[in-house]
Each structure stands twice: as C-alpha cells, then as structure tokens.
Amino acid sequence: MFSDFYGIKIKGKCFQSEVNLKFFSEEYHRFCLIYGKNGSGKSTISQAFDAIKQNNQPLIASQIIDKSGAVVDLTSENQKNSIFVFNEEYANSKVKIKDNGLDAIVLLGDVTNIDRKLEKIKNIREIRT
C-alpha cells in the first residue's frame, strides 16, 4: 500500500473544495515535513490521516491517492495500523504537564487518563457540596 502512496485527497474544514495534496513525488522520498502559518491547514491534514486510520473525523473526507490520483483502498486493518498520527490531539491525550508553583509534574501515556478521572471526581464533589 505505501509503495503506492503519493498523497492524500482531502475535503473539509479549511479545505472547502476537494484538494489533492502531493507528499512523495519520487519513490526514494521517505520524509515529508508539513509547515505553515496558523490556520493554514496543518492540523486538518493530520486529522485527515487520522480519519483514514480510525474513521473518527465526521467533518473531513479523505483518501490516500497514488501518483495518477487514483484512490488507494486500505483493505486490511494492518494497512490502517501502519498509519501513525502525531499531532496536538495525540500529544494532549498522552502527555500532560501539571505546573504548580516551582514544581512541574509530567504525566505520560495512560496515566493522563487517570488524572482526568480524578479531576472529574473532584468537580462532582464540588458540585455536591
């Protein structure tokens, strides 16, 4: 599948009309860096890849395309599991920094979920009292 990967077709959020974004124009290209000003669509592009992997972005339509612009179907879960998205949403869900005075606590991985649960319990207690 990734030998055919050339880019992504995307529509939604800041991409009002369908756009083909080309990432790997040559077979030997192994790295792609996306940069731009705030509001230029970087997060939307990462969410488009996440939508392909997890089907969890209802506001974005996206598909992997090959060099000719044809859609590359992801037929197996292994192919979807080969997509990794590291964006702000991922970082917020896996890394949490609690800053309290001069002390800073960094929580990584599933521990961040425990901290969110404790915060919810604290809020419920405050409402009840």
Side-chain angles (χ1 to χ4, degrees), residues 37-59:
K37 293 181 180 181
N38 289 343
S40 64
K42 301 177 305 292
S43 293
T44 302
I45 293 168
S46 72
Q47 291 168 358
F49 280 105
D50 200 41
I52 291 169
K53 180 180 175 91
Q54 300 183 37
N55 298 323
N56 66 350
Q57 297 287 340
L59 302 177

Side-chain angles (χ1 to χ4, degrees), residues 93-96 107-114 116:
S93 71
K94 298 295 182 186
V95 179
K96 182 170 179 122
L107 305 174
L108 302 172
D110 293 332
V111 178
T112 59
N113 292 331
I114 292 170
R116 285 188 192 100

Side-chain angles (χ1 to χ4, degrees), residues 14-120:
C14 65
F15 297 99
Q16 296 298 315
S17 58
E18 189 173 84
V19 176
N20 288 354
L21 301 175
K22 303 169 188 173
F23 296 117
F24 302 104
S25 58
E26 300 297 332
E27 287 185 25
Y28 58 85
H29 289 167
R30 301 273 186 231
F31 178 80
C32 178
L33 174 67
I34 300 171
Y35 64 94
K37 293 181 180 181
N38 289 343
S40 64
K42 301 177 305 292
S43 293
T44 302
I45 293 168
S46 72
Q47 291 168 358
F49 280 105
D50 200 41
I52 291 169
K53 180 180 175 91
Q54 300 183 37
N55 298 323
N56 66 350
Q57 297 287 340
L59 302 177
I60 301 172
S62 56
Q63 298 173 306
I64 301 280
I65 56 173
D66 65 13
K67 214 170 200 175
S68 69
V71 173
V72 177
D73 288 323
L74 301 181
T75 55
S76 73
E77 284 301 311
N78 285 341
Q79 290 174 325
K80 288 185 178 184
N81 289 336
S82 297
I83 298 172
F84 297 94
V85 177
F86 183 81
N87 59 10
E88 187 175 3
E89 292 170 24
Y90 177 86
N92 287 341
S93 71
K94 298 295 182 186
V95 179
K96 182 170 179 122
I97 299 174
K98 292 183 79 170
D99 198 6
N100 188 6
L102 297 176
D103 300 328
I105 300 171
V106 178
L107 305 174
L108 302 172
D110 293 332
V111 178
T112 59
N113 292 331
I114 292 170
D115 192 57
R116 285 188 192 100
K117 289 177 184 176
L118 289 172
E119 190 65 33
K120 285 181 184 178

